[in-house]
Amino acid sequence: MATNFLTKLFGSRNDRLLKTYRKTVERINSLEPQFEKLSDDELTAQTEVFKRRLADGATLDAILPEAFAVVREASKRVMKMRHFDVQLVGGIALHSGKIAEMRTGEGKTLTATLPVYLNALSGKGVHVVTVNDYLASRDAQWMGRLYNFLGLSVGINLPQAPREDKQAAYGADITYGTNNEYGFDYLRDNMVHEAKDRVQRGLNFAIVDEVDSILIDEARTPLIISGQAEDQTPVYTAIKQLVPHLTRQEGEADPRTGEGVIKPGDFTVDEKAHSIHMTEQGHENAERLLSQAGLLPEGASLYDPANIALMHHLVTSLKAHHLYHRDQHYVVQNGEIVIVDEFTGRLMSGRRWSDGLHQAVEAKEGVAIQPENQTLASITFQNYFRLYGKLSGMTGTADTEAYEFQEIYGLETVVIPPNRPSQRVDQLDRVYKTTKEKYVAAIQDIRECHERGQPVLVGTSSIENSEIISGLLTAEKLPHEVLNAKQHAREADIIVQAGRPGAITIATNMAGRGTDIVLGGNLEKMVAAVDADESLDDASKAQRVQALRDQWQSDHEKVKSLGGLRIIATERHESRRIDNQLRGRSGRQGDPGSSRFYLSLDDSLMRIFAGEKVRAIMDRLKMPEGEAIEAGIVTRSIESAQRKVEARNFDIRKQLLEYDDVSNDQRKVIYQQRNDILDAQSLRAQIDALREGCMTDLVHQFVPEGSVEEQWDLPGLERVLREEWSVDLPVASWVSESEAVEVDDIVERVQKAAKQVFEDKVALVGDENFTQFERMVLLQTIDSQWRDHLSALDYLRQGIHLRGYAQKQPKQEYKREAFQLFGQLLDSVKNDVTRILMNVRVQSAEQISEATEQMEASAEQIANVTYTAPTETGEAESVVDPATAVAEVPRVGRNDPCPCGSGKKYKHCHGALT
């Protein structure tokens, strides 16, 4: 009560922010007459004026009103579009590092030009992040005209572009690209062996388009760069043959009474938690079947340590068969399994599920099984985007997730009011008993709209459902377009004409399409087609264009009079945001519109969360077939179920982040060390520190601190120094000849001898040449140890929840053990690097040529880029295990280019080691 009273009295936080922003908008508007008088050249020159002012100490906030006024004026001249006042408000929110919620059709792309221009003036670069390459290219070319007019450069960061193109894109004032590509570039930059190979510069400011899709929906899927691991194809094929022999249990046993099982079986499926559990009977059957197949030794248990991997393969195969469905979670295309994004309905070519799930689905569908991968580098979107100095985002639906944005990213959500009030009518859901009744009612609604000429957008949650509706419409002889992952390439063309009179468009998950549905159809596309027709002269083109404009105006008014775009949805998504995105396609810029959801008790969300209650109401009311419940209480109970799912997904993402924060802190240390090594002119200080640490540890092994002389093993120390570290030092005789020797004296003597041995090697080839060798050894050792460390963390994470049974806090245990593992990693790097540098032999030109090429081959091996759950495969670009590096390599002549790619002759690069 008190909170509501105070909100009424002082306004909400959102209201107060908007009030502040509107004062700034008034200042921007007051500058408009002043900039309208400037010529094009004078307007362009303002960019240099702003840059000088920033160099003289002015802040971005101080020049914001003038900079925004300049962008608005330039947009009027170049784009023939003037920013609305609400777009200026959105621009201020984005510059302030907040999320701007702006409804569909409010012009988010144009809004972003204001903060992008202002922040690009600092010269540190601005990244605009989009959900796909099409939008990145479209927006960069579309808005690039405005930025180029104002004297700023624009780059597009496309996948698989050459390194030089990527460096140019990141070097531009403004860079457009996808979230995946920015993340992968960051990881690849931290795997390079030459500083000049890095493509990114500092992460200064990013504006994320469709911020909810990228920072929330995709936050559960870490970016992973991986190389091939051991091939286990025969295991997947063999286990696939066993799955049909295992039966699904119906009903769940009560742990207290043991009752509740309707039909006993080998495993239970928990659709809510998306998991599968073996029953006791299932374990026995699985062990028998695996033994018969020769995969499990006779009498062995599935839970023996040696068979844990077999248990994992079996459960994964069951998941593939019972939880992952064709044309819903994936499609089979050109003999490959291609994942379908559950939020946008788009095909995610190249992505792969992790933990063997993708291979299990490939075995299920009988396509070629690709080998599993080993993680080389990994980061979550949450941690990648938190690396930016300033982050902001825009979307049509952020308010339902405002708490998560604030909690995880520290981003406040500002709801920007529409330019014109929405006139869309959102009707109550209609719930039917069966799927058939639901589809009959939806088709009837579509038919009525089509007959009166009202355009309809039909929303479905899977490709399978969209094809069912398409089949029903075809049977009813109703013309329609289908937009799902299978029509991915035509999506923009289908969407722009979805507002034409009588049009019927079926769409799978309407998130982030980036194209407006204009009532009456998209005039610009039709005009562009006429302009591109070379068979017409200018007069004919002008005549055709005028006819198109007249026809469009007539169609536009007709559709408006019929009630605008009608949204008909055949299923509720588990996230309210996705439903709101679908609704938001209707009623843009104050247009009329309406929406209705048709549901049945068989829908997955209803069945899992709200089905029993609604079914009980229907039975009590004795509702006849074809009748639907349409009541606020039902709609609210469905929204309550959606909130539960959203809360569970938030917990999953938060838990993922809490665990990843541990490896993220370690990742920062390792990547900082790598960058220091790449940028350093001399590595002598680091190498000396590592060697001194090694020698100190070694001496303390044989001469423990605080011990008496009788406990010292000096002959052992001499032997290890000679055999493992190439240091021939008579420690025992020296100690026996001395009157009094402390442990520290021995440490100092050993360190001095080791330093002398090392410096003698350096003197043979020169400081500069040996530094290159040191750099290569350091980087390779760090990368190899980091890879093994990531695998160790994965294994630790998978079993850490079991610590809960010992009354221990799993997260704290994970942090403690991960810290210990990281300490071991640093020790291993120290020992391995020092051992290699102390034992390296300076050899002949031919010998050193072969050795160098082997090292380079191991550093430049090709890797697959993948995602975990799903996993992303991008360009070939990884590191092969040195043990598998090719031994037989061609000879390199002294005057040939060095194989390391430095551009120098071999004799002046790695060949100088002779």
Side-chain angles (χ1 to χ4, degrees):
M1 286 289 285
T3 309
N4 291 341
F5 172 72
L6 291 171
T7 301
K8 284 178 184 173
L9 194 62
F10 298 109
S12 65
R13 163 77 178 162
N14 202 77
D15 295 336
R16 295 197 299 278
L17 280 172
L18 293 176
K19 195 174 178 182
T20 308
Y21 295 161
R22 285 195 180 103
K23 288 177 184 172
T24 310
V25 170
E26 286 170 14
R27 289 174 60 199
I28 298 166
N29 289 340
S30 68
L31 294 167
E32 191 166 13
Q34 174 188 328
F35 288 113
E36 279 178 335
K37 294 172 187 171
L38 299 180
S39 67
D40 285 359
D41 290 341
E42 288 171 328
L43 193 62
T44 302
Q46 291 299 311
T47 299
E48 289 306 317
V49 173
F50 292 143
K51 285 182 177 178
R52 278 199 300 275
R53 284 172 60 185
L54 289 171
D56 292 340
T59 63
L60 291 174
D61 290 343
I63 64 169
L64 183 147
E66 293 155 273
F68 277 29
V70 164
V71 176
R72 177 191 260 183
E73 184 56 35
S75 178
K76 280 157 61 178
R77 299 182 191 189
V78 177
M79 316 286 293
K80 303 292 184 281
M81 291 190 283
R82 178 183 179 276
H83 295 76
F84 302 129
D85 283 1
V86 290
Q87 287 175 308
L88 296 179
V89 170
I92 298 166
L94 291 173
H95 168 69
S96 305
K98 300 189 189 307
I99 290 174
E101 176 177 302
M102 301 175 71
R103 288 187 181 170
T104 301
E106 291 295 310
K108 291 187 282 290
T109 309
L110 188 64
T111 299
T113 57
L114 300 158
V116 165
Y117 171 77
L118 174 61
N119 285 271
L121 294 171
S122 68
K124 295 176 185 173
V126 174
H127 292 173
V128 183
V129 187
T130 64
V131 288
N132 61 38
D133 298 324
Y134 161 72
L135 289 178
S137 302
R138 186 202 72 173
D139 292 355
Q141 289 162 6
W142 189 17
M143 297 299 145
R145 291 156 49 204
L146 173 58
Y147 299 129
N148 293 337
F149 174 81
L150 289 169
L152 296 179
S153 56
V154 179
I156 310 175
N157 177 30
L158 293 172
Q160 300 178 7
R163 186 180 71 222
E164 295 75 17
D165 291 358
K166 278 186 173 287
Q167 287 170 335
Y170 280 111
D173 296 311
I174 300 150
T175 310
Y176 280 82
T178 64
N179 50 323
N180 295 343
E181 206 53 30
Y182 285 123
F184 281 133
D185 285 340
Y186 171 75
L187 291 176
R188 284 189 285 250
D189 275 0
N190 286 289
M191 293 172 70
V192 299
H193 284 71
E194 298 276 348
K196 62 182 175 56
D197 291 341
R198 290 183 296 210
V199 296
Q200 282 188 345
R201 47 183 177 151
L203 302 178
N204 171 45
F205 175 48
I207 292 183
V208 184
D209 192 10
E210 303 296 347
V211 67
D212 53 335
S213 177
I214 290 171
L215 294 191
I216 291 192
D217 295 340
E218 301 212 15
R220 283 182 289 174
T221 61
L223 286 166
I224 294 176
I225 290 184
S226 59
Q228 283 190 5
E230 186 184 349
D231 186 12
Q232 304 222 2
T233 301
V235 179
Y236 290 110
T237 312
I239 286 185
K240 172 205 166 186
Q241 311 296 333
L242 308 184
V243 168
H245 299 289
L246 297 172
T247 57
R248 177 173 174 171
Q249 177 172 298
E250 289 181 24
E252 194 79 40
D254 188 310
R256 290 164 299 180
T257 63
E259 297 173 356
V261 175
I262 301 163
K263 177 186 167 191
D266 299 316
F267 61 91
T268 60
V269 179
D270 186 343
E271 291 184 82
K272 195 184 293 188
H274 211 64
S275 62
I276 280 180
H277 301 284
M278 302 289 290
T279 63
E280 201 168 326
Q281 170 192 322
H283 288 136
E284 292 171 8
N285 279 345
E287 284 172 357
R288 179 177 53 78
L289 291 166
L290 287 165
S291 294
Q292 288 171 1
L295 294 172
L296 191 69
E298 195 69 42
S301 166
L302 261 177
Y303 285 99
D304 288 345
N307 302 323
I308 290 293
L310 210 53
M311 183 70 194
H312 170 74
H313 285 311
L314 181 63
V315 172
T316 304
S317 193
L318 286 168
K319 277 186 181 178
H321 281 77
H322 295 278
L323 287 173
Y324 288 81
H325 306 297
R326 186 169 178 163
D327 286 346
Q328 181 179 349
H329 298 103
Y330 63 89
V331 296
V332 180
Q333 207 174 66
N334 303 325
E336 287 186 359
I337 302 296
V338 184
I339 299 169
V340 175
D341 190 315
E342 63 174 307
F343 298 101
T344 64
R346 287 195 175 92
L347 286 182
M348 299 193 290
S349 298
R351 290 196 187 185
R352 295 178 66 77
W353 286 304
S354 66
D355 287 335
L357 177 59
H358 210 97
Q359 287 79 4
V361 174
E362 285 168 334
K364 167 190 167 185
E365 293 294 346
V367 302
I369 298 174
Q370 307 296 326
E372 286 186 63
N373 294 317
Q374 174 196 5
T375 301
L376 306 182
S378 162
I379 194 169
T380 59
F381 282 127
Q382 293 152 316
N383 276 321
Y384 172 70
F385 282 107
R386 293 197 302 185
L387 293 169
Y388 280 89
K390 183 165 71 173
L391 180 66
S392 63
M394 50 191 185
T395 178
T397 45
D399 200 35
T400 54
E401 315 291 345
Y403 176 72
E404 182 165 351
F405 283 124
Q406 184 69 57
E407 183 85 356
I408 304 290
Y409 303 98
L411 289 172
E412 187 174 6
T413 302
V414 183
V415 180
I416 312 294
N419 186 44
R420 294 180 186 145
S422 172
Q423 295 183 43
R424 189 185 70 241
V425 178
D426 295 326
Q427 298 170 336
L428 292 173
D429 299 357
R430 280 192 175 162
V431 184
Y432 293 83
K433 261 190 176 180
T434 64
T435 307
K436 182 186 173 186
E437 292 171 58
K438 170 182 80 173
Y439 283 143
V440 167
I443 298 294
Q444 180 60 29
D445 195 342
I446 295 167
R447 173 182 287 286
E448 288 169 7
C449 291
H450 179 70
E451 285 173 353
R452 63 174 175 264
Q454 185 177 6
V456 184
L457 179 66
V458 185
T460 66
S461 62
S462 69
I463 298 172
E464 190 180 19
N465 287 352
S466 70
E467 292 182 345
I468 289 170
I469 301 244
S470 175
L472 293 170
L473 289 173
T474 303
E476 294 285 324
K477 296 187 171 54
L478 291 170
H480 60 278
E481 286 278 11
V482 182
L483 171 60
N484 61 31
K486 294 184 177 179
Q487 278 77 34
H488 182 69
R490 291 179 55 224
E491 75 172 39
D493 294 331
I494 294 174
I495 278 298
V496 293
Q497 302 304 351
R500 299 180 84 163
I504 302 172
T505 310
I506 304 170
T508 308
N509 293 351
M510 281 302 304
R513 297 294 183 191
T515 311
D516 278 343
I517 299 176
V518 181
L519 300 187
N522 189 297
L523 180 61
E524 289 175 19
K525 286 269 183 187
M526 295 186 277
V527 170
V530 172
D531 287 341
D533 191 345
E534 294 177 3
S535 64
L536 298 174
D537 57 29
D538 290 348
S540 301
K541 282 182 182 177
Q543 195 175 352
R544 286 258 183 109
V545 167
Q546 190 54 49
L548 283 173
R549 291 188 191 283
D550 294 343
Q551 181 61 45
W552 178 84
Q553 193 59 44
S554 166
D555 289 347
H556 182 71
E557 295 304 326
K558 178 185 176 186
V559 171
K560 277 181 78 170
S561 68
L562 291 169
L565 179 67
R566 171 77 164 164
I567 304 289
I568 293 175
T570 59
E571 202 171 337
R572 281 272 194 174
H573 197 275
E574 64 178 32
S575 166
R576 287 172 297 160
R577 263 183 315 105
I578 310 297
D579 293 342
N580 291 340
Q581 282 164 349
L582 175 62
R583 281 191 174 126
R585 310 305 302 194
S586 176
R588 64 181 287 282
Q589 286 293 328
D591 285 340
S594 62
S595 71
R596 164 97 73 190
F597 279 80
Y598 287 88
L599 313 174
S600 82
L601 298 182
D602 298 330
D603 295 349
S604 57
L605 187 80
M606 293 291 292
R607 190 179 70 249
I608 295 168
F609 289 101
E612 293 307 316
K613 287 181 192 171
V614 181
R615 191 181 296 277
I617 294 170
M618 286 183 155
D619 291 341
R620 215 170 297 136
L621 297 172
K622 295 187 171 62
M623 294 180 66
E625 189 177 327
E627 280 289 313
I629 282 189
E630 184 181 331
I633 189 170
V634 175
T635 302
R636 285 193 295 277
S637 81
I638 293 165
E639 286 185 354
S640 167
Q642 289 174 307
R643 281 195 194 92
K644 286 180 195 168
V645 181
E646 287 166 8
R648 196 191 82 224
N649 288 342
F650 170 56
D651 287 340
I652 291 170
R653 289 188 289 268
K654 193 173 179 189
Q655 189 160 346
L656 172 78
L657 184 64
E658 284 171 349
Y659 279 104
D660 192 62
D661 277 345
V662 177
S663 56
N664 192 51
D665 292 338
Q666 299 174 0
R667 184 189 300 116
K668 285 177 183 173
V669 172
I670 291 292
Y671 286 178
Q672 185 58 53
Q673 283 192 358
R674 278 189 110 267
N675 288 326
D676 291 344
I677 292 164
L678 285 169
D679 296 332
Q681 293 299 309
S682 170
L683 297 167
R684 194 50 36 84
Q686 284 129 298
I687 297 298
D688 286 350
L690 292 176
R691 187 183 60 251
E692 286 168 10
C694 271
M695 293 301 115
T696 304
D697 292 347
L698 182 65
V699 171
H700 286 154
Q701 273 181 20
F702 294 91
V703 186
E705 286 183 280
S707 61
V708 293
E709 199 168 322
E710 287 72 21
Q711 294 173 302
W712 297 355
D713 180 9
L714 297 178
L717 176 60
E718 277 186 23
R719 189 184 68 254
V720 170
L721 279 170
R722 185 174 56 253
E723 293 175 2
E724 295 186 20
W725 303 91
S726 301
V727 178
D728 203 351
L729 183 66
V731 183
S733 60
W734 168 68
V735 169
S736 64
E737 289 166 10
S738 304
E739 291 182 10
V741 176
E742 297 291 329
V743 175
D744 289 348
D745 297 331
I746 301 175
V747 169
E748 188 181 337
R749 186 75 178 259
V750 169
Q751 286 183 349
K752 193 174 177 183
K755 185 177 183 183
Q756 190 58 53
V757 170
F758 178 74
E759 287 180 347
D760 290 345
K761 292 179 191 290
V762 176
L764 289 169
V765 294
D767 228 10
E768 185 183 337
N769 294 314
F770 208 84
T771 298
Q772 292 182 11
F773 180 66
E774 288 170 338
R775 183 176 285 120
M776 197 193 312
V777 169
L778 270 167
L779 292 174
Q780 272 197 272
T781 307
I782 287 173
D783 290 348
S784 170
Q785 293 293 343
W786 179 242
R787 266 203 312 272
D788 294 344
H789 181 67
L790 286 175
S791 296
L793 286 182
D794 274 348
Y795 290 131
L796 175 63
R797 169 105 176 266
Q798 284 170 17
I800 202 72
H801 64 279
L802 297 172
R803 305 286 175 91
Y805 292 116
Q807 303 301 308
K808 291 181 178 178
Q809 172 55 260
K811 279 177 204 157
Q812 291 307 115
E813 289 289 297
Y814 180 76
K815 286 178 183 176
R816 185 178 59 78
E817 292 209 18
F819 182 74
Q820 289 175 356
L821 286 170
F822 191 63
Q824 292 169 19
L825 176 149
L826 296 178
D827 283 343
S828 298
V829 169
K830 177 177 70 179
N831 288 316
D832 291 357
V833 168
T834 305
R835 186 175 276 109
I836 291 169
L837 294 179
M838 291 298 293
N839 289 313
V840 68
R841 287 178 297 162
V842 180
Q843 299 174 320
S844 69
E846 287 189 352
Q847 288 171 318
I848 207 77
S849 156
E850 191 166 332
T852 305
E853 283 191 15
Q854 285 186 16
M855 290 195 76
E856 291 298 340
S858 71
E860 292 177 1
Q861 180 194 2
I862 297 187
N864 299 319
V865 176
T866 66
Y867 250 122
T868 0
T871 317
E872 168 113 8
T873 307
E875 62 198 88
E877 184 195 7
S878 50
V879 184
V880 172
D881 183 343
T884 63
V886 181
E888 293 182 14
V889 289
R891 295 276 186 266
V892 179
R894 283 175 53 71
N895 291 311
D896 291 342
C898 187
C900 75
S902 65
K904 298 179 184 176
K905 287 185 178 179
Y906 177 69
K907 64 184 179 185
H908 294 313
C909 192
H910 287 86
L913 283 167
T914 57

